[in-house]
Each structure stands twice: as C-alpha cells, then as structure tokens.
C-alpha cells in the first residue's frame, strides 16, 4: 500500500516592506507618546515639583535690601547675597549684545528652546558645548540650580528646564528675561547680579560700563570662579577677547574697534562690599536694629514676616550722602590730629591711658573689659575655667590692630591690646534739619570695624555746660527774663535740704573768679557756673527737668541743682533734637531717619509720620537762640570767628575758620575733661559733636586739649566749611527767623567801659539789671 509523503520543507512567508513600515511607525508613535507623556507628567509636577504660576510671576530672587540716601545714593545693603535688581532700561546695549552674541545667538528667534542647537548638541553628544538658551539658563538659576550629575535625574531636570523656559517665554518679554538673567547671575567676590558686579569690579553703575568691561563680565558667566578677574587676570583677558570676537561675528561690534579693545589690560577698581565698609556704617547698624523691630509689626499680605536680607526692600533714609561724607572726613582729620597729642601726653603715664586710678580700680576696669571681650566668650563656650582664660590674656599673640595710618600687624598680649584700644579718643556726630526732624548725618564713632559702640544713640555721656541753655530757657519762661537782663556773678551756696541736696552745695567758676553784674547773654557765653546755679535755685530743678524732657531728652535726670552744671548723661541724638527745638520756633520734632520703605516692586509699605509737640513759644525760643549766638560771638565758641590762634591751636584742626554768619552754639566740658561737646546751629541745620575716650578715667590731663572748644568744635567747624563749600546742599548762612512783634528784649545795647578785665573789647552791656538776690545763697 502506497503512503503519502509529507512536505516538511515549507518556506516561511516573506514579510513585505509594509510590515516594517507599520513596525517603525508603531515604535515611533509609542516613543513620541512616551516622550509626550514624560513631558506632561513633568509639567504636572509628578517627576518633582514645578514652579506655579505665582512663582513664575514672582520668582524667589533673594534680593538685598537697599539703604538709599536722601540724595538718591545707595549707601549700604542688608543681604545674604549681594544682589540688587535692575531694569532692562538701565542696562547698556553693548552689554546686552555681548551677552546674546556669546550665550545665545538666536535668542530673539526662539521661544525658549533652540531646536538647531539642541539637535547639534545631541549629534555631537555635548562635546562642543551645551544647547541651553539664555531662557533655559535663567530657568536653571531660578528654580533648580546646577542639578544632579546622575544621568536619569539629569534628563528629568533638563526636561523640566525646557518646560520652565517655554513658560518663562510666555510670561515675560525678551527684554525682561535678559534683565532677570543679569539680576540673577553670580559674579563671585560678593557680587551677585550685574549691578553689584559693576560696583564691586569697576565702582560704577551698569549704565556706565564700557564695552570691554561689559565683555569681561559677560565672559565670567561661563564659570565665574574659573574666570575670576581678581585671581586670573590673563585668563579673564583671553575670555573677554572671545566675547569681543563673538560680538564682531554677530555684527554688533566693528572689527577694528574690537581689536583695539583686545589690547587693553584688565583694569579693575575692585572693592568687595561688606557691612563694615562704606559710609554711615554706624547708622546702617542702627537701621538694622530698627528693621528687626519693624518687621515684627509690619507683615506681608499673607501674614508672614519680611526678611530684610532676601526680600529686596528699599529703605529711603533722610541721610544725605554728601553731608555724611563731609562729617566723616571732619571726624577723621580732627581725631587723627588730636590723637597724636593724646599719645604724646600718655608717654609719661605709667598707668596709661588711665588717670588718677589706683591699682584696684584699674584691675576692676580691665577685668570688666576682659569679660566683655570675644576671647572670653569663645573660651568660656569651650568650657575653659576663668583662671585659664585670664592666663591667656598674658600670652603674646599675633593680631591686626587699628591705627590712624591703617591696620597694622603686630604681636602683643590681649591685656596690652585692651590698654592700647582704650587710648583711642572716640567721637559721635549727628546733624538734623530742625524744621523737619530729618537726620542728615550720623557718625557713631571713628571706625566701625574696630569700635562698634555707637556714640550717637547708644552712648549717653555727661554733657557739661551744653545743658545750661535748658536752665536759661526755663528761667526766661518762668521768670520773664531776657538775654539782656543782668545778674550778679558771685559765690552761692545752696544749703542742705534745699532742692533735695544732702549737703551744702557751693559751685565754683572754672577760673575761680567772679565778675559782678553780667547779662544772661554774657553769663552763658562765658559759661559762668554761679549764674546757672542761681537760676536753677530760683526756678527749681524740677522745672528744668520737666522742660528738658519736653525737649525730647529721654535720660533719667535727677532733680538736683547740680544738673545746672551738666551733671547729666544724654545722648548726642537727644541733645541735637533738643537744641533743634530752639531753631524750630519752640516746636520739638522727633528725629527721623527713614522717609519711606518700599517692597521690591515699589509698593510703599511704610512712611514716617512726623512726631512733634509745642515746648516753648516763639519768643522764648528766639531769645535762647540769641543767648547761644553770644557764645560764638564772644564766648567759648569765638574761635569759630577769630584768626589769632594761641596755645594748643595746633590741635584745633582746620583753624582758622572765620565764619561770618550767625551761629548759635554751646561748648561743654565735663569734670576731668572726660567729655568735650559742641552743639552748633544755623537756621536749617543743627549739629552736635561729642569727643572723649571710651572710659571716663582715660582723658587729657589739662583743659587746653580736653575742653569742648578744642576736642569737639573743630569737627563742627570743618564739617560746616565743607557744607558751605557745596552749594547744592543749600545750608543757610542767613539770620535766624525773628518772630513778629517780639516781646522779649534780645538786642542788648552797649556802652564803653575802660577798665573791664572781663569784657570783650573794653565794652560791657548797658542793660536792665535783674539781681536774683542770691549772693551767697
């Protein structure tokens, strides 16, 4: 029987081209769908958070808070990153063109992603530079930084970067993106953002940058640390020239001009910004403390606190940068000169700089200084015993110390460094407009880096004879006296029990002499102690204390007759405000240092409201001004007008001053010359100056150099000379405003007296007599 043969060698069907087409498109669409889904999920934030619309609208820019003077100068900043935003309109076009030519040639053609560069980068596997556009770089800077080096995460971050870039392009114009980019870029060396970079490297605003300077800054953007102009000038020059070539290549710079610029060296005006540099350092620290309290009381719309280091606030202050500079220059010039005299006098002092202190008193003072030092607190935190810490103060140590010729590296024991620093004379200066309360000048010391105690607002010191006008004002108000009334300069004793004195009090005049009948104007001009004592005895200490507090003085003042001679501690700030009341027709205005505060968008958050109240009527205030004018006409302030000089005038820095205009002022000197004062006024500016050592036991041995007329007055005089030399400041040289129908006699007529040892030019005032009858108490 025949069997059927099976065909086991059948050939497989041949797949035609249609099959492979279908396979290709299937893979293509799956891949495309996967990529699309990947971007959708990324945009929804399922692969990590994405910025919201609000965050895109207001990206976290970590902006520095600017402190702006009344004349529009940025005098300081509070920051974590030294960044201040700038508008596109403030950027020079060659800076913008340099950036686009170097970083993103087709910036104005794409919508956030440059397809041609992206494909090219993929083909070259990134070996010839990346494909990130300016917008992508901005997205990276704003929202996720450098990112991960792990490839899968890097791919996810790149996708998010693209999405953010496209959103930014929809949200902002090209010009706004460029401005944001420049504001966010880090240029190292404390410079974050183009404005800080221009300031730090070239000492100018961005709008003033030259083409080669702009090219250098743009060149840094690739790698700011690698292209650091402070450390690698030649490398930076090469990179700058690459930028210039790119500008030529893109047709935004002439080749010949570029070649000329390429030959130029890198020239910097390098000045890294810090909180201890620049002008008004003491004021800026005072302002920092003010802002710490301000943010507690003034919240954001969402209820959170403002951060003065990151929220980009703008604090518009009343300080005038020109006046501030003039005042700081005056302090430096005079204190440097006066300090030489102090060093000279201390050479023979075995306990320098302390005078008339025994060993026990000196040790207590030194121990207090040791315990207040950083060394003590650091070692205490390391659990060192007091004995170990005290021994360390006798071990010689390398240190850098302050001198008036610049910082100096030396070796000394910490105990010696304490004594060294206590030699230095300090100063506090404040100037204010009497009519507005606007503080124009605030100099809290001689060098903030080394001496951080603020002698304007923190340091209350005895005021000496600068307190006497408050006594005179009280007498004029309560007793109806005038500057032309006479009073007997003779010994006075206020007995125990009267005005709360615990023992008989007999004040003496500084020269031990008595002049007989004198006018109030002359008594204040010559700062006669017995007259002040008789006035306060008549009106009572309580009345003087009450008036002084109405004048804005916040110190606790004992109701004792001795306050008539200035045994009261008051700050420079309070003294200037009190004196300003006389120049403001008897109306006290609280000193103001801020005019307004804005947020980073220019929205006003705070405006200062003047705080004022009436203290004296116009006639009395004007009468006190006439009394104070007498001080600068024939009294302790007369050296403002003279040219003669004399003993010790080598330390009256800047003398002669030869002022011709009306000046109301008063000098003050405390016991042992521990404090020297001068408060001087012209109609639209009142300025107070204090000079002294940190410790009252360190002082000049004699009155010649320690008195207010030598220690403090020259700072006022040199400051005012500089102000008058600047016509843009409009500091008045006019008379003080005389009230209409003045009811108090202030024009004191004089007659010649041939034999008068105590009168100026052989004249004495021919005036009404007003004998208080307090001769001998």
């Amino acid at each position: 029987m025949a069997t059927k043969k099976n065909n086991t060698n059948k050939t497989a069907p041949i797949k035609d081209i249609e099959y492979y087409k279908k396979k290709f498109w299937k893979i293509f669409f799956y891949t495309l769908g996967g990529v699309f889904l990947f971007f959708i999920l990324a945009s929804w934030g399922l692969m990590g958070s994405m910025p919201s619309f609000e965050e895109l609208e207001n990206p976290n820019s970590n902006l520095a808070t600017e402190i702006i003077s009344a004349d529009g100068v940025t005098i300081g900043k509070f920051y974590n990153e030294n960044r201040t935003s700038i508008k596109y309109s403030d950027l020079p076009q060659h800076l913008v063109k340099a950036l686009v030519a170097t970083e993103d040639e087709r910036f104005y053609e794409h919508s956030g992603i440059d397809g041609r560069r992206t494909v090219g980068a993929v083909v070259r596997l990134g070996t010839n530079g990346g494909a990130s556009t300016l917008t992508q770089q901005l997205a990276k800077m704003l929202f996720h930084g450098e990112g991960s080096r792990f490839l899968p995460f890097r791919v996810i971050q790149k996708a998010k970067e693209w999405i953010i870039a496209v959103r930014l392009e929809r949200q902002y114009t090209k010009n706004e993106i460029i401005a944001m980019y420049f504001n966010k870029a880090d240029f190292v060396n404390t410079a974050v953002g183009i404005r800080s970079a221009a300031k730090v490297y070239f000492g100018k605003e961005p709008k003033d940058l030259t083409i080669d300077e702009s090219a250098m800054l743009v060149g840094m953007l690739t790698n700011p640390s690698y292209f650091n102009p402070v450390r690698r000038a030649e490398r930076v020059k090469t990179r700058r020239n690459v930028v210039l070539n790119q500008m030529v290549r893109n047709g935004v710079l002439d080749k010949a001009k570029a070649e000329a610029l390429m030959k130029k060296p890198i020239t910097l005006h390098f000045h890294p910004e810090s909180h201890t540099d620049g002008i008004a350092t003491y004021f800026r620290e005072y302002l920092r403390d003010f802002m710490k309290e301000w943010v507690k009381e003034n919240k954001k719309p969402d209820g959170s606190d403002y951060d003065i280091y990151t929220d980009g606030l703008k604090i518009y202050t009343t300080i005038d940068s020109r006046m501030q500079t003039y005042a700081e220059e005056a302090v430096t010039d005079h204190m440097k000169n006066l300090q030489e005299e102090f060093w000279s006098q201390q050479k023979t002092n075995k306990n320098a700089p302390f005078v008339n202190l025994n060993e026990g008193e000196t040790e207590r003072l030194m121990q207090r200084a040791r315990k207040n030092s950083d060394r003590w607190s650091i070692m205490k935190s390391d659990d060192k015993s007091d004995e170990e810490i005290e021994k360390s103060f006798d071990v010689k140590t390398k240190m850098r110390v302050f001198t008036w010729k610049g910082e100096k590296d030396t070796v000394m024991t910490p105990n010696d460094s304490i004594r060294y620093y206590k030699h230095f004379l300090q100063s506090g200066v404040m100037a204010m407009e009497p009519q507005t309360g606007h503080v124009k000048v605030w100099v809290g010391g001689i060098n903030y880096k080394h001496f951080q105690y603020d002698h304007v607002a923190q340091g209350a010191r005895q005021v000496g004879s600068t307190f006497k006008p408050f006594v005179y004002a009280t007498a004029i108000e309560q007793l109806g006296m005038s500057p032309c009334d006479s009073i007997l300069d003779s010994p006075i004793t206020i007995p125990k029990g009267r005005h709360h004195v615990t023992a008989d009090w007999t004040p003496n005049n500084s020269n031990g002499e008595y002049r007989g009948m004198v006018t109030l104007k002359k008594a204040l001009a010559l700062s006669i102690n017995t007259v002040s004592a008789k006035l306060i005895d008549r009106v009572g200490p309580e009345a003087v204390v009450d008036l002084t507090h109405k004048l804005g003085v916040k110190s606790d003042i004992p109701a004792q007759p001795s306050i008539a001679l200035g045994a009261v501690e008051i700050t420079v700030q309070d003294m200037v405000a009190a004196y300003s009341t006389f120049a403001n027709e008897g109306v006290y205005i609280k000193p103001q240092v801020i005019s307004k505060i804005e947020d980073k968008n220019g929205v006003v958050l705070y405006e200062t409201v003047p705080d004022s109240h009436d203290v004296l009527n116009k006639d009395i205030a004007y009468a006190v001004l006439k009394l104070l004018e007498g001080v600068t006409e024939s009294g302790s302030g007369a050296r403002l007008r003279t040219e003669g000089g004399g003993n010790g005038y080598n330390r009256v820095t800047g003398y002669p001053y030869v002022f011709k205009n009306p000046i109301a002022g008063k000098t003050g000197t405390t016991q042992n010359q521990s404090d020297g004062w001068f408060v001087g006024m012209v109609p639209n500016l009142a300025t107070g100056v204090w000079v002294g050592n940190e410790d009252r036991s360190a002082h000049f041995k004699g009155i010649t150099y320690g008195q207010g007329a030598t220690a403090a007055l020259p700072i006022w005089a040199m400051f005012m000379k500089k102000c008058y030399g600047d016509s843009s400041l409009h500091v008045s040289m006019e008379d003080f405003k005389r009230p209409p129908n003045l009811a108090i006699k202030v024009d004191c007529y004089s007659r010649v007296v041939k034999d008068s040892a105590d009168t100026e030019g052989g004249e004495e005032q021919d005036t009404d007599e007003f004998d208080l009858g307090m001769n001998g108490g």
Side-chain angles (χ1 to χ4, degrees):
M1 182 173 175
T3 58
K4 201 169 188 176
K5 191 174 183 179
N6 293 328
N7 186 4
T8 59
N9 296 321
K10 286 183 179 179
T11 57
I14 298 173
K15 297 177 180 177
D16 58 19
I17 192 67
E18 290 301 322
Y19 172 82
Y20 289 105
K21 283 183 178 179
K22 289 178 181 178
K23 195 77 172 177
F24 169 79
W25 287 113
K26 188 176 183 179
I27 294 172
F28 175 79
F29 282 116
Y30 273 132
T31 303
L32 188 63
V35 171
F36 182 75
L37 180 63
F38 173 79
F39 276 94
I40 287 292
L41 294 175
S43 66
W44 288 349
L46 297 179
M47 294 186 179
S49 63
M50 290 285 287
S52 64
F53 175 82
E54 289 76 15
E55 288 173 316
L56 285 172
E57 186 76 28
N58 296 289
N60 181 12
S61 51
N62 199 5
L63 291 174
T65 287
E66 285 188 90
I67 305 167
I68 303 169
S69 69
D71 53 319
V73 176
T74 298
I75 59 175
K77 301 175 186 177
F78 301 134
Y79 58 84
N80 291 329
E81 290 182 355
N82 183 17
R83 185 203 318 277
T84 306
S85 64
I86 191 171
K87 296 178 182 177
Y88 178 85
S89 58
D90 294 322
L91 298 171
Q93 279 305 297
H94 53 255
L95 176 66
V96 174
K97 291 174 181 177
L99 176 68
V100 173
T102 307
E103 294 293 327
D104 191 353
E105 293 175 319
R106 284 180 292 279
F107 173 71
Y108 293 104
E109 300 169 18
H110 63 67
S111 297
I113 301 171
D114 188 341
R116 197 189 311 177
R117 284 182 72 183
T118 301
V119 172
V122 171
V123 170
R124 293 187 297 271
L125 300 178
T127 57
N128 192 28
S132 292
T133 63
L134 280 175
T135 317
Q136 288 174 259
Q137 293 178 46
L138 176 61
K140 182 167 62 177
M141 287 190 289
L142 286 174
F143 298 108
H144 65 76
E146 285 302 313
S148 173
R149 294 183 180 275
F150 183 50
L151 183 59
F153 290 167
R154 186 75 190 101
V155 171
I156 293 173
Q157 288 168 344
K158 198 68 177 176
K160 291 165 64 178
E161 185 181 297
W162 286 353
I163 295 167
I164 296 170
V166 172
R167 289 181 176 178
L168 286 172
E169 289 274 353
R170 291 175 180 173
Q171 190 75 28
Y172 298 99
T173 67
K174 291 288 187 180
N175 289 352
E176 288 172 332
I177 288 171
I178 285 178
M180 291 171 70
Y181 183 95
F182 273 123
N183 286 328
K184 190 67 179 175
D186 188 348
F187 294 87
V188 300
N189 296 315
T190 75
V192 184
I194 189 63
R195 190 176 182 199
S196 292
K199 285 276 190 180
V200 167
Y201 292 113
F202 301 111
K204 58 178 67 172
E205 291 290 334
K207 63 182 175 63
D208 300 318
L209 290 169
T210 61
I211 295 175
D212 56 306
E213 291 168 347
S214 296
M216 188 206 86
L217 293 174
V218 169
M220 291 177 65
L221 293 170
T222 302
N223 189 330
S225 297
Y226 186 75
F227 294 110
N228 185 338
V230 178
R231 297 182 177 180
R232 302 180 176 95
E234 283 305 312
R235 185 181 295 168
V236 171
K237 180 180 177 182
T238 302
R239 177 63 184 164
R240 178 202 66 185
N241 292 348
V242 169
V243 175
L244 292 171
N245 276 322
Q246 282 295 107
M247 294 176 73
V248 173
R249 179 172 175 268
N250 284 270
V252 295
L253 182 64
D254 179 72
K255 185 175 182 181
K257 188 169 186 178
E259 289 176 349
L261 292 173
M262 288 180 193
K263 296 176 183 178
K264 296 179 68 174
I266 297 293
T267 304
L268 302 178
H269 182 67
F270 182 63
H271 188 76
E273 297 183 359
S274 77
H275 298 302
T276 60
D277 291 335
I279 65 170
T281 46
Y282 291 90
F283 169 73
R284 280 150 44 195
E285 198 58 33
Y286 170 84
L287 197 60
R288 188 200 306 272
D289 291 337
F290 173 89
M291 291 302 296
K292 286 178 182 177
E293 296 302 315
W294 183 87
V295 298
K296 294 177 183 177
E297 301 172 4
N298 298 268
K299 305 289 185 181
K300 292 182 180 178
D302 62 4
S304 60
D305 289 343
Y306 285 101
D307 188 331
I308 65 171
Y309 301 104
T310 62
D311 281 339
L313 302 177
K314 286 183 168 55
I315 306 172
Y316 292 88
T317 72
T318 61
I319 296 293
D320 187 289
S321 69
R322 298 159 296 181
M323 286 187 177
Q324 180 71 29
T325 300
Y326 298 153
E328 291 183 8
E329 289 172 350
V331 168
T332 296
D333 291 346
H334 180 58
M335 299 305 289
K336 186 188 301 184
N337 182 24
L338 195 63
Q339 189 66 49
E340 287 185 14
E341 183 65 35
F342 193 83
W343 285 118
S344 177
Q345 290 192 15
Q346 294 300 321
K347 288 179 180 178
T348 58
N349 182 4
K350 294 180 180 180
N351 196 26
F354 311 117
V355 180
N356 297 327
L357 282 192
N358 59 39
E359 187 175 334
E361 291 170 331
T362 302
E363 178 53 31
R364 283 193 293 274
L365 190 152
M366 291 291 292
Q367 183 69 352
R368 185 168 61 248
R370 285 191 285 265
K371 289 190 173 183
N372 288 333
S373 69
D374 291 338
R375 171 180 290 270
W376 189 283
S377 60
I378 291 171
M379 294 185 72
K380 200 69 177 176
S381 65
D382 291 336
D383 296 324
K384 300 292 184 182
S385 68
D386 287 2
E387 185 179 357
E388 289 176 299
I389 299 174
E390 289 187 18
K391 282 184 179 179
S392 75
F393 278 83
D394 288 321
V395 179
K396 287 191 174 183
T397 307
K398 289 183 179 179
M399 60 182 72
R400 176 168 291 183
V401 299
F402 169 80
T403 78
W404 276 114
K405 296 180 180 179
E407 291 184 337
K408 177 182 177 182
D409 291 319
T410 187
V411 176
M412 66 172 72
T413 70
N415 272 330
D416 287 341
S417 74
I418 290 174
R419 282 186 179 266
Y420 173 77
Y421 277 115
K422 287 188 179 296
H423 276 78
F424 281 95
L425 293 160
Q426 300 295 324
S427 183
V429 181
M430 192 184 103
M432 167 180 151
E433 289 180 347
Q435 293 75 26
T436 64
H438 290 176
V439 175
K440 313 307 291 184
V441 164
W442 185 301
V443 186
I446 59 173
N447 183 285
Y448 182 76
K449 182 178 178 181
H450 293 276
F451 307 95
Q452 296 185 357
Y453 192 77
D454 185 353
H455 292 284
V456 170
Q458 283 180 299
R461 298 290 292 241
Q462 283 199 4
V463 295
S465 294
T466 51
F467 190 85
K468 289 177 179 176
F470 308 150
V471 178
Y472 281 65
T474 307
I476 293 173
E477 181 183 44
Q478 295 205 359
L479 305 178
M481 300 182 71
S482 84
C484 303
D485 290 334
S486 292
I487 186 171
L488 184 63
D489 171 19
S490 62
I492 173 178
T493 296
I494 295 179
K496 176 181 176 181
R498 184 175 172 86
H499 302 312
H500 318 293
V501 298
T502 56
D504 290 355
W505 182 59
T506 305
N508 297 309
N509 290 332
S510 59
N511 60 1
E513 298 178 358
Y514 302 96
R515 297 166 178 80
M517 297 302 295
V518 294
T519 63
L520 288 193
K521 187 173 184 179
K522 184 170 183 179
L524 186 63
L526 301 179
S527 206
I528 300 174
N529 289 339
T530 58
V531 172
S532 296
K534 289 183 178 184
L535 292 176
I536 199 169
D537 181 63
R538 180 68 183 272
V539 299
E542 291 83 2
V544 176
V545 171
D546 183 57
L547 177 64
T548 305
H549 282 152
K550 287 181 180 177
L551 290 167
V553 174
K554 295 179 284 292
S555 306
D556 290 330
I557 305 174
Q560 296 283 337
S562 58
I563 64 174
L565 308 189
V568 181
E569 295 185 352
I570 303 176
T571 64
V572 172
Q573 184 182 35
D574 283 358
M575 285 298 287
V576 174
Y579 270 63
S580 293
T581 304
F582 303 131
N584 192 35
E585 300 182 316
V587 179
Y588 168 82
I589 294 187
K590 184 178 179 179
Q592 298 179 18
V593 297
I594 295 175
S595 55
K596 65 179 178 178
I597 299 173
E598 292 180 349
D599 68 10
K600 64 181 180 182
N601 298 314
V603 177
V604 177
L605 305 175
Y606 171 82
E607 284 187 285
T608 303
V609 177
D611 182 358
S612 65
H613 59 259
D614 292 341
V615 180
L616 300 166
N617 68 44
K618 295 180 181 180
D619 289 5
I620 295 172
Y622 186 72
V624 176
L625 288 176
K626 299 306 287 184
L627 285 171
L628 292 170
E629 283 185 7
V631 175
T632 67
E633 291 166 357
S634 61
S636 55
R639 62 181 56 176
L640 289 171
R641 306 186 183 283
T642 61
E643 297 182 63
N647 182 39
Y649 271 67
N650 59 317
R651 304 302 182 191
V652 183
T653 317
Y655 182 84
Y657 314 114
V658 200
F659 289 104
K660 303 293 186 184
N661 56 295
I663 298 170
K666 185 72 186 78
T667 58
T669 310
T670 62
Q671 191 172 14
N672 297 323
Q673 301 78 236
S674 294
D675 308 274
W677 287 81
F678 183 73
V679 184
M681 295 181 290
V682 294
N684 63 350
L685 192 67
T687 306
V689 182
W690 166 86
V691 171
N693 290 79
E694 176 187 313
D695 290 281
R696 289 182 174 84
S697 54
H699 53 76
F700 282 106
K701 296 178 181 179
I703 193 75
T704 300
Y705 301 104
Q707 63 178 315
T710 305
L713 179 145
I715 293 175
W716 188 93
M718 288 191 292
F719 164 64
M720 290 299 292
K721 291 282 278 190
K722 290 172 184 286
C723 288
Y724 283 138
D726 187 341
S727 59
S728 67
L729 294 176
H730 306 293
V731 178
S732 175
M733 299 186 77
E734 304 298 320
D735 290 326
F736 288 94
K737 183 180 178 181
R738 186 185 181 103
N741 303 315
L742 179 64
I744 299 176
K745 184 176 182 180
V746 296
D747 300 313
C748 309
Y749 303 100
S750 59
R751 59 182 173 81
V752 176
V753 177
K754 295 182 179 180
D755 299 317
S756 178
D758 295 319
T759 54
E760 292 292 323
E763 296 182 351
E764 71 172 15
Q765 308 298 335
D766 182 15
T767 62
D768 303 324
E769 293 189 1
F770 195 101
D771 188 353
L772 294 179
M774 289 304 302
N775 186 5

